[in-house]
PDB file of all heavy atoms in Angstrom:
ATOM      1  N   ASN A   1       2.727  12.018   9.976  1.00  0.00           N
ATOM      2  CA  ASN A   1       1.904  11.114  10.781  1.00  0.00           C
ATOM      3  C   ASN A   1       0.719  11.803  11.416  1.00  0.00           C
ATOM      4  O   ASN A   1       0.790  12.965  11.827  1.00  0.00           O
ATOM      5  CB  ASN A   1       2.710  10.510  11.944  1.00  0.00           C
ATOM      6  CG  ASN A   1       3.639   9.410  11.540  1.00  0.00           C
ATOM      7  OD1 ASN A   1       4.853   9.576  11.634  1.00  0.00           O
ATOM      8  ND2 ASN A   1       3.099   8.299  11.089  1.00  0.00           N
ATOM      9  N   GLU A   2      -0.357  11.081  11.511  1.00  0.00           N
ATOM     10  CA  GLU A   2      -1.422  11.262  12.475  1.00  0.00           C
ATOM     11  C   GLU A   2      -1.646   9.867  13.060  1.00  0.00           C
ATOM     12  O   GLU A   2      -1.173   8.870  12.489  1.00  0.00           O
ATOM     13  CB  GLU A   2      -2.685  11.803  11.815  1.00  0.00           C
ATOM     14  CG  GLU A   2      -2.723  13.333  11.677  1.00  0.00           C
ATOM     15  CD  GLU A   2      -3.009  14.013  13.018  1.00  0.00           C
ATOM     16  OE1 GLU A   2      -2.031  14.222  13.790  1.00  0.00           O
ATOM     17  OE2 GLU A   2      -4.172  14.328  13.305  1.00  0.00           O
ATOM     18  N   PRO A   3      -2.308   9.753  14.203  1.00  0.00           N
ATOM     19  CA  PRO A   3      -2.462   8.424  14.797  1.00  0.00           C
ATOM     20  C   PRO A   3      -3.073   7.416  13.810  1.00  0.00           C
ATOM     21  O   PRO A   3      -4.122   7.669  13.214  1.00  0.00           O
ATOM     22  CB  PRO A   3      -3.410   8.674  15.980  1.00  0.00           C
ATOM     23  CG  PRO A   3      -3.140  10.078  16.370  1.00  0.00           C
ATOM     24  CD  PRO A   3      -2.887  10.800  15.071  1.00  0.00           C
ATOM     25  N   GLY A   4      -2.367   6.309  13.630  1.00  0.00           N
ATOM     26  CA  GLY A   4      -2.859   5.260  12.750  1.00  0.00           C
ATOM     27  C   GLY A   4      -2.728   5.553  11.274  1.00  0.00           C
ATOM     28  O   GLY A   4      -3.210   4.783  10.440  1.00  0.00           O
ATOM     29  N   ARG A   5      -2.070   6.661  10.908  1.00  0.00           N
ATOM     30  CA  ARG A   5      -1.907   7.001   9.498  1.00  0.00           C
ATOM     31  C   ARG A   5      -0.512   7.564   9.270  1.00  0.00           C
ATOM     32  O   ARG A   5      -0.010   8.335  10.082  1.00  0.00           O
ATOM     33  CB  ARG A   5      -2.930   8.052   9.050  1.00  0.00           C
ATOM     34  CG  ARG A   5      -4.379   7.598   9.074  1.00  0.00           C
ATOM     35  CD  ARG A   5      -5.287   8.694   8.562  1.00  0.00           C
ATOM     36  NE  ARG A   5      -5.318   9.845   9.460  1.00  0.00           N
ATOM     37  CZ  ARG A   5      -5.483  11.102   9.067  1.00  0.00           C
ATOM     38  NH1 ARG A   5      -5.591  11.393   7.777  1.00  0.00           N
ATOM     39  NH2 ARG A   5      -5.519  12.081   9.947  1.00  0.00           N
ATOM     40  N   SER A   6       0.085   7.183   8.172  1.00  0.00           N
ATOM     41  CA  SER A   6       1.352   7.795   7.789  1.00  0.00           C
ATOM     42  C   SER A   6       1.370   7.991   6.281  1.00  0.00           C
ATOM     43  O   SER A   6       0.724   7.257   5.523  1.00  0.00           O
ATOM     44  CB  SER A   6       2.546   6.935   8.222  1.00  0.00           C
ATOM     45  OG  SER A   6       2.556   5.704   7.534  1.00  0.00           O
ATOM     46  N   ALA A   7       2.109   9.009   5.863  1.00  0.00           N
ATOM     47  CA  ALA A   7       2.391   9.260   4.452  1.00  0.00           C
ATOM     48  C   ALA A   7       3.885   9.505   4.353  1.00  0.00           C
ATOM     49  O   ALA A   7       4.461  10.216   5.181  1.00  0.00           O
ATOM     50  CB  ALA A   7       1.607  10.455   3.934  1.00  0.00           C
ATOM     51  N   VAL A   8       4.505   8.899   3.352  1.00  0.00           N
ATOM     52  CA  VAL A   8       5.964   8.919   3.266  1.00  0.00           C
ATOM     53  C   VAL A   8       6.401   9.298   1.862  1.00  0.00           C
ATOM     54  O   VAL A   8       5.830   8.820   0.868  1.00  0.00           O
ATOM     55  CB  VAL A   8       6.558   7.536   3.632  1.00  0.00           C
ATOM     56  CG1 VAL A   8       8.083   7.568   3.570  1.00  0.00           C
ATOM     57  CG2 VAL A   8       6.079   7.088   5.007  1.00  0.00           C
ATOM     58  N   LEU A   9       7.410  10.128   1.792  1.00  0.00           N
ATOM     59  CA  LEU A   9       8.169  10.348   0.566  1.00  0.00           C
ATOM     60  C   LEU A   9       9.550   9.746   0.785  1.00  0.00           C
ATOM     61  O   LEU A   9      10.220  10.075   1.769  1.00  0.00           O
ATOM     62  CB  LEU A   9       8.295  11.835   0.255  1.00  0.00           C
ATOM     63  CG  LEU A   9       7.070  12.504  -0.353  1.00  0.00           C
ATOM     64  CD1 LEU A   9       7.233  14.021  -0.338  1.00  0.00           C
ATOM     65  CD2 LEU A   9       6.818  12.008  -1.779  1.00  0.00           C
ATOM     66  N   TYR A  10       9.952   8.870  -0.121  1.00  0.00           N
ATOM     67  CA  TYR A  10      11.210   8.148   0.063  1.00  0.00           C
ATOM     68  C   TYR A  10      12.038   8.260  -1.208  1.00  0.00           C
ATOM     69  O   TYR A  10      11.627   7.782  -2.271  1.00  0.00           O
ATOM     70  CB  TYR A  10      10.925   6.689   0.395  1.00  0.00           C
ATOM     71  CG  TYR A  10      12.145   5.795   0.450  1.00  0.00           C
ATOM     72  CD1 TYR A  10      13.294   6.193   1.113  1.00  0.00           C
ATOM     73  CD2 TYR A  10      12.134   4.551  -0.166  1.00  0.00           C
ATOM     74  CE1 TYR A  10      14.403   5.377   1.175  1.00  0.00           C
ATOM     75  CE2 TYR A  10      13.240   3.716  -0.120  1.00  0.00           C
ATOM     76  CZ  TYR A  10      14.371   4.128   0.549  1.00  0.00           C
ATOM     77  OH  TYR A  10      15.472   3.325   0.598  1.00  0.00           O
ATOM     78  N   ALA A  11      13.170   8.917  -1.112  1.00  0.00           N
ATOM     79  CA  ALA A  11      14.073   9.101  -2.254  1.00  0.00           C
ATOM     80  C   ALA A  11      15.252   8.163  -2.085  1.00  0.00           C
ATOM     81  O   ALA A  11      16.061   8.337  -1.162  1.00  0.00           O
ATOM     82  CB  ALA A  11      14.555  10.540  -2.339  1.00  0.00           C
ATOM     83  N   VAL A  12      15.353   7.159  -2.948  1.00  0.00           N
ATOM     84  CA  VAL A  12      16.457   6.201  -2.861  1.00  0.00           C
ATOM     85  C   VAL A  12      17.784   6.920  -3.044  1.00  0.00           C
ATOM     86  O   VAL A  12      18.754   6.657  -2.346  1.00  0.00           O
ATOM     87  CB  VAL A  12      16.273   5.090  -3.904  1.00  0.00           C
ATOM     88  CG1 VAL A  12      17.507   4.200  -3.978  1.00  0.00           C
ATOM     89  CG2 VAL A  12      15.040   4.256  -3.571  1.00  0.00           C
ATOM     90  N   GLU A  13      17.830   7.825  -3.990  1.00  0.00           N
ATOM     91  CA  GLU A  13      19.026   8.639  -4.209  1.00  0.00           C
ATOM     92  C   GLU A  13      18.577   9.920  -4.875  1.00  0.00           C
ATOM     93  O   GLU A  13      17.390  10.254  -4.850  1.00  0.00           O
ATOM     94  CB  GLU A  13      20.049   7.878  -5.064  1.00  0.00           C
ATOM     95  CG  GLU A  13      19.487   7.319  -6.361  1.00  0.00           C
ATOM     96  CD  GLU A  13      20.460   6.385  -7.058  1.00  0.00           C
ATOM     97  OE1 GLU A  13      21.515   6.103  -6.472  1.00  0.00           O
ATOM     98  OE2 GLU A  13      20.154   5.945  -8.165  1.00  0.00           O
ATOM     99  N   SER A  14      19.483  10.689  -5.436  1.00  0.00           N
ATOM    100  CA  SER A  14      19.096  11.940  -6.082  1.00  0.00           C
ATOM    101  C   SER A  14      18.637  11.642  -7.501  1.00  0.00           C
ATOM    102  O   SER A  14      19.292  12.006  -8.480  1.00  0.00           O
ATOM    103  CB  SER A  14      20.276  12.923  -6.089  1.00  0.00           C
ATOM    104  OG  SER A  14      21.426  12.303  -6.663  1.00  0.00           O
ATOM    105  N   SER A  15      17.495  10.976  -7.612  1.00  0.00           N
ATOM    106  CA  SER A  15      16.982  10.570  -8.917  1.00  0.00           C
ATOM    107  C   SER A  15      15.752  11.387  -9.281  1.00  0.00           C
ATOM    108  O   SER A  15      15.257  12.203  -8.490  1.00  0.00           O
ATOM    109  CB  SER A  15      16.640   9.079  -8.910  1.00  0.00           C
ATOM    110  OG  SER A  15      15.652   8.812  -7.942  1.00  0.00           O
ATOM    111  N   ALA A  16      15.246  11.130 -10.487  1.00  0.00           N
ATOM    112  CA  ALA A  16      14.125  11.920 -10.985  1.00  0.00           C
ATOM    113  C   ALA A  16      12.792  11.497 -10.396  1.00  0.00           C
ATOM    114  O   ALA A  16      11.790  12.191 -10.587  1.00  0.00           O
ATOM    115  CB  ALA A  16      14.061  11.806 -12.513  1.00  0.00           C
ATOM    116  N   SER A  17      12.738  10.380  -9.690  1.00  0.00           N
ATOM    117  CA  SER A  17      11.482   9.919  -9.116  1.00  0.00           C
ATOM    118  C   SER A  17      11.685   9.537  -7.658  1.00  0.00           C
ATOM    119  O   SER A  17      12.805   9.262  -7.215  1.00  0.00           O
ATOM    120  CB  SER A  17      10.926   8.725  -9.900  1.00  0.00           C
ATOM    121  OG  SER A  17      11.804   7.626  -9.830  1.00  0.00           O
ATOM    122  N   VAL A  18      10.609   9.533  -6.915  1.00  0.00           N
ATOM    123  CA  VAL A  18      10.606   9.109  -5.527  1.00  0.00           C
ATOM    124  C   VAL A  18       9.461   8.124  -5.337  1.00  0.00           C
ATOM    125  O   VAL A  18       8.547   8.031  -6.165  1.00  0.00           O
ATOM    126  CB  VAL A  18      10.447  10.295  -4.553  1.00  0.00           C
ATOM    127  CG1 VAL A  18      11.630  11.242  -4.662  1.00  0.00           C
ATOM    128  CG2 VAL A  18       9.135  11.040  -4.813  1.00  0.00           C
ATOM    129  N   HIS A  19       9.506   7.407  -4.230  1.00  0.00           N
ATOM    130  CA  HIS A  19       8.411   6.526  -3.867  1.00  0.00           C
ATOM    131  C   HIS A  19       7.494   7.236  -2.888  1.00  0.00           C
ATOM    132  O   HIS A  19       7.958   7.915  -1.964  1.00  0.00           O
ATOM    133  CB  HIS A  19       8.932   5.243  -3.213  1.00  0.00           C
ATOM    134  CG  HIS A  19       9.711   4.371  -4.155  1.00  0.00           C
ATOM    135  ND1 HIS A  19       9.117   3.648  -5.161  1.00  0.00           N
ATOM    136  CD2 HIS A  19      11.034   4.122  -4.242  1.00  0.00           C
ATOM    137  CE1 HIS A  19      10.048   2.985  -5.830  1.00  0.00           C
ATOM    138  NE2 HIS A  19      11.214   3.269  -5.299  1.00  0.00           N
ATOM    139  N   GLY A  20       6.207   7.066  -3.107  1.00  0.00           N
ATOM    140  CA  GLY A  20       5.220   7.519  -2.147  1.00  0.00           C
ATOM    141  C   GLY A  20       4.601   6.319  -1.455  1.00  0.00           C
ATOM    142  O   GLY A  20       4.402   5.266  -2.078  1.00  0.00           O
ATOM    143  N   PHE A  21       4.328   6.459  -0.173  1.00  0.00           N
ATOM    144  CA  PHE A  21       3.702   5.392   0.609  1.00  0.00           C
ATOM    145  C   PHE A  21       2.551   5.984   1.416  1.00  0.00           C
ATOM    146  O   PHE A  21       2.680   7.061   2.003  1.00  0.00           O
ATOM    147  CB  PHE A  21       4.688   4.776   1.613  1.00  0.00           C
ATOM    148  CG  PHE A  21       5.831   4.013   1.020  1.00  0.00           C
ATOM    149  CD1 PHE A  21       6.976   4.679   0.601  1.00  0.00           C
ATOM    150  CD2 PHE A  21       5.781   2.635   0.904  1.00  0.00           C
ATOM    151  CE1 PHE A  21       8.047   3.982   0.078  1.00  0.00           C
ATOM    152  CE2 PHE A  21       6.847   1.935   0.377  1.00  0.00           C
ATOM    153  CZ  PHE A  21       7.981   2.604  -0.047  1.00  0.00           C
ATOM    154  N   PHE A  22       1.459   5.257   1.467  1.00  0.00           N
ATOM    155  CA  PHE A  22       0.416   5.492   2.459  1.00  0.00           C
ATOM    156  C   PHE A  22       0.264   4.217   3.267  1.00  0.00           C
ATOM    157  O   PHE A  22       0.165   3.119   2.704  1.00  0.00           O
ATOM    158  CB  PHE A  22      -0.929   5.817   1.793  1.00  0.00           C
ATOM    159  CG  PHE A  22      -1.016   7.194   1.197  1.00  0.00           C
ATOM    160  CD1 PHE A  22      -1.116   7.360  -0.176  1.00  0.00           C
ATOM    161  CD2 PHE A  22      -1.025   8.314   2.005  1.00  0.00           C
ATOM    162  CE1 PHE A  22      -1.219   8.627  -0.735  1.00  0.00           C
ATOM    163  CE2 PHE A  22      -1.116   9.589   1.451  1.00  0.00           C
ATOM    164  CZ  PHE A  22      -1.213   9.743   0.087  1.00  0.00           C
ATOM    165  N   THR A  23       0.237   4.345   4.585  1.00  0.00           N
ATOM    166  CA  THR A  23      -0.033   3.217   5.470  1.00  0.00           C
ATOM    167  C   THR A  23      -1.029   3.672   6.510  1.00  0.00           C
ATOM    168  O   THR A  23      -0.838   4.716   7.144  1.00  0.00           O
ATOM    169  CB  THR A  23       1.259   2.730   6.172  1.00  0.00           C
ATOM    170  OG1 THR A  23       2.260   2.450   5.204  1.00  0.00           O
ATOM    171  CG2 THR A  23       0.986   1.471   6.984  1.00  0.00           C
ATOM    172  N   PHE A  24      -2.112   2.901   6.678  1.00  0.00           N
ATOM    173  CA  PHE A  24      -3.137   3.331   7.624  1.00  0.00           C
ATOM    174  C   PHE A  24      -3.862   2.121   8.210  1.00  0.00           C
ATOM    175  O   PHE A  24      -3.923   1.061   7.611  1.00  0.00           O
ATOM    176  CB  PHE A  24      -4.141   4.288   6.969  1.00  0.00           C
ATOM    177  CG  PHE A  24      -4.757   3.804   5.690  1.00  0.00           C
ATOM    178  CD1 PHE A  24      -5.963   3.106   5.690  1.00  0.00           C
ATOM    179  CD2 PHE A  24      -4.140   4.053   4.462  1.00  0.00           C
ATOM    180  CE1 PHE A  24      -6.538   2.671   4.503  1.00  0.00           C
ATOM    181  CE2 PHE A  24      -4.702   3.616   3.270  1.00  0.00           C
ATOM    182  CZ  PHE A  24      -5.904   2.924   3.291  1.00  0.00           C
ATOM    183  N   THR A  25      -4.365   2.335   9.419  1.00  0.00           N
ATOM    184  CA  THR A  25      -5.112   1.260  10.067  1.00  0.00           C
ATOM    185  C   THR A  25      -6.460   1.072   9.384  1.00  0.00           C
ATOM    186  O   THR A  25      -7.057   2.021   8.858  1.00  0.00           O
ATOM    187  CB  THR A  25      -5.332   1.569  11.552  1.00  0.00           C
ATOM    188  OG1 THR A  25      -6.002   2.831  11.672  1.00  0.00           O
ATOM    189  CG2 THR A  25      -4.006   1.628  12.301  1.00  0.00           C
ATOM    190  N   HIS A  26      -6.912  -0.170   9.405  1.00  0.00           N
ATOM    191  CA  HIS A  26      -8.226  -0.503   8.856  1.00  0.00           C
ATOM    192  C   HIS A  26      -8.725  -1.709   9.621  1.00  0.00           C
ATOM    193  O   HIS A  26      -7.987  -2.681   9.812  1.00  0.00           O
ATOM    194  CB  HIS A  26      -8.123  -0.806   7.354  1.00  0.00           C
ATOM    195  CG  HIS A  26      -9.413  -0.619   6.614  1.00  0.00           C
ATOM    196  ND1 HIS A  26     -10.351  -1.609   6.502  1.00  0.00           N
ATOM    197  CD2 HIS A  26      -9.911   0.454   5.947  1.00  0.00           C
ATOM    198  CE1 HIS A  26     -11.386  -1.165   5.790  1.00  0.00           C
ATOM    199  NE2 HIS A  26     -11.140   0.092   5.444  1.00  0.00           N
ATOM    200  N   GLU A  27      -9.961  -1.646  10.097  1.00  0.00           N
ATOM    201  CA  GLU A  27     -10.457  -2.664  11.029  1.00  0.00           C
ATOM    202  C   GLU A  27     -10.301  -4.078  10.493  1.00  0.00           C
ATOM    203  O   GLU A  27      -9.959  -5.001  11.230  1.00  0.00           O
ATOM    204  CB  GLU A  27     -11.921  -2.381  11.372  1.00  0.00           C
ATOM    205  CG  GLU A  27     -12.482  -3.339  12.413  1.00  0.00           C
ATOM    206  CD  GLU A  27     -13.896  -2.964  12.837  1.00  0.00           C
ATOM    207  OE1 GLU A  27     -14.390  -1.904  12.406  1.00  0.00           O
ATOM    208  OE2 GLU A  27     -14.501  -3.747  13.588  1.00  0.00           O
ATOM    209  N   ALA A  28     -10.567  -4.264   9.223  1.00  0.00           N
ATOM    210  CA  ALA A  28     -10.457  -5.585   8.604  1.00  0.00           C
ATOM    211  C   ALA A  28      -9.887  -5.399   7.210  1.00  0.00           C
ATOM    212  O   ALA A  28      -9.946  -4.310   6.640  1.00  0.00           O
ATOM    213  CB  ALA A  28     -11.823  -6.268   8.547  1.00  0.00           C
ATOM    214  N   PRO A  29      -9.314  -6.442   6.634  1.00  0.00           N
ATOM    215  CA  PRO A  29      -8.814  -6.313   5.264  1.00  0.00           C
ATOM    216  C   PRO A  29      -9.929  -5.848   4.333  1.00  0.00           C
ATOM    217  O   PRO A  29     -11.013  -6.443   4.322  1.00  0.00           O
ATOM    218  CB  PRO A  29      -8.362  -7.744   4.916  1.00  0.00           C
ATOM    219  CG  PRO A  29      -8.071  -8.386   6.228  1.00  0.00           C
ATOM    220  CD  PRO A  29      -9.063  -7.791   7.192  1.00  0.00           C
ATOM    221  N   PRO A  30      -9.719  -4.770   3.586  1.00  0.00           N
ATOM    222  CA  PRO A  30     -10.786  -4.254   2.704  1.00  0.00           C
ATOM    223  C   PRO A  30     -11.162  -5.283   1.642  1.00  0.00           C
ATOM    224  O   PRO A  30     -10.318  -5.684   0.836  1.00  0.00           O
ATOM    225  CB  PRO A  30     -10.150  -3.011   2.064  1.00  0.00           C
ATOM    226  CG  PRO A  30      -9.019  -2.652   2.971  1.00  0.00           C
ATOM    227  CD  PRO A  30      -8.522  -3.932   3.537  1.00  0.00           C
ATOM    228  N   PRO A  31     -12.385  -5.772   1.643  1.00  0.00           N
ATOM    229  CA  PRO A  31     -12.759  -6.827   0.691  1.00  0.00           C
ATOM    230  C   PRO A  31     -12.770  -6.325  -0.742  1.00  0.00           C
ATOM    231  O   PRO A  31     -13.302  -5.255  -1.043  1.00  0.00           O
ATOM    232  CB  PRO A  31     -14.167  -7.230   1.148  1.00  0.00           C
ATOM    233  CG  PRO A  31     -14.693  -6.011   1.852  1.00  0.00           C
ATOM    234  CD  PRO A  31     -13.512  -5.364   2.494  1.00  0.00           C
ATOM    235  N   GLY A  32     -12.150  -7.086  -1.618  1.00  0.00           N
ATOM    236  CA  GLY A  32     -12.234  -6.821  -3.043  1.00  0.00           C
ATOM    237  C   GLY A  32     -11.366  -5.714  -3.574  1.00  0.00           C
ATOM    238  O   GLY A  32     -11.275  -5.528  -4.791  1.00  0.00           O
ATOM    239  N   LEU A  33     -10.686  -4.942  -2.710  1.00  0.00           N
ATOM    240  CA  LEU A  33      -9.958  -3.767  -3.205  1.00  0.00           C
ATOM    241  C   LEU A  33      -8.725  -4.142  -4.018  1.00  0.00           C
ATOM    242  O   LEU A  33      -8.272  -3.346  -4.843  1.00  0.00           O
ATOM    243  CB  LEU A  33      -9.558  -2.853  -2.057  1.00  0.00           C
ATOM    244  CG  LEU A  33     -10.670  -1.960  -1.495  1.00  0.00           C
ATOM    245  CD1 LEU A  33     -10.114  -1.040  -0.437  1.00  0.00           C
ATOM    246  CD2 LEU A  33     -11.327  -1.140  -2.596  1.00  0.00           C
ATOM    247  N   LEU A  34      -8.185  -5.346  -3.781  1.00  0.00           N
ATOM    248  CA  LEU A  34      -7.028  -5.752  -4.588  1.00  0.00           C
ATOM    249  C   LEU A  34      -7.399  -5.864  -6.063  1.00  0.00           C
ATOM    250  O   LEU A  34      -6.539  -5.804  -6.931  1.00  0.00           O
ATOM    251  CB  LEU A  34      -6.477  -7.089  -4.084  1.00  0.00           C
ATOM    252  CG  LEU A  34      -5.889  -7.087  -2.668  1.00  0.00           C
ATOM    253  CD1 LEU A  34      -5.397  -8.479  -2.310  1.00  0.00           C
ATOM    254  CD2 LEU A  34      -4.757  -6.079  -2.549  1.00  0.00           C
ATOM    255  N   ARG A  35      -8.685  -6.015  -6.331  1.00  0.00           N
ATOM    256  CA  ARG A  35      -9.147  -6.126  -7.724  1.00  0.00           C
ATOM    257  C   ARG A  35      -9.935  -4.895  -8.155  1.00  0.00           C
ATOM    258  O   ARG A  35     -10.596  -4.921  -9.191  1.00  0.00           O
ATOM    259  CB  ARG A  35     -10.014  -7.381  -7.872  1.00  0.00           C
ATOM    260  CG  ARG A  35      -9.270  -8.668  -7.566  1.00  0.00           C
ATOM    261  CD  ARG A  35     -10.168  -9.882  -7.679  1.00  0.00           C
ATOM    262  NE  ARG A  35     -11.257  -9.838  -6.720  1.00  0.00           N
ATOM    263  CZ  ARG A  35     -11.139 -10.231  -5.443  1.00  0.00           C
ATOM    264  NH1 ARG A  35      -9.981 -10.679  -4.992  1.00  0.00           N
ATOM    265  NH2 ARG A  35     -12.173 -10.163  -4.623  1.00  0.00           N
ATOM    266  N   ASP A  36      -9.883  -3.824  -7.355  1.00  0.00           N
ATOM    267  CA  ASP A  36     -10.680  -2.631  -7.637  1.00  0.00           C
ATOM    268  C   ASP A  36      -9.818  -1.387  -7.452  1.00  0.00           C
ATOM    269  O   ASP A  36      -9.885  -0.714  -6.417  1.00  0.00           O
ATOM    270  CB  ASP A  36     -11.897  -2.602  -6.702  1.00  0.00           C
ATOM    271  CG  ASP A  36     -12.793  -1.386  -6.938  1.00  0.00           C
ATOM    272  OD1 ASP A  36     -12.594  -0.681  -7.949  1.00  0.00           O
ATOM    273  OD2 ASP A  36     -13.672  -1.135  -6.082  1.00  0.00           O
TER     274      ASP A  36
END
């Protein structure tokens, strides 16, 4: 963590892959990024 930002590694179990997450504050929904 830093304020307003997090990065996560999440291992469901002892498997060959893990999930990565980024979550961060943003003043408004980023326009168009869902398609970019």
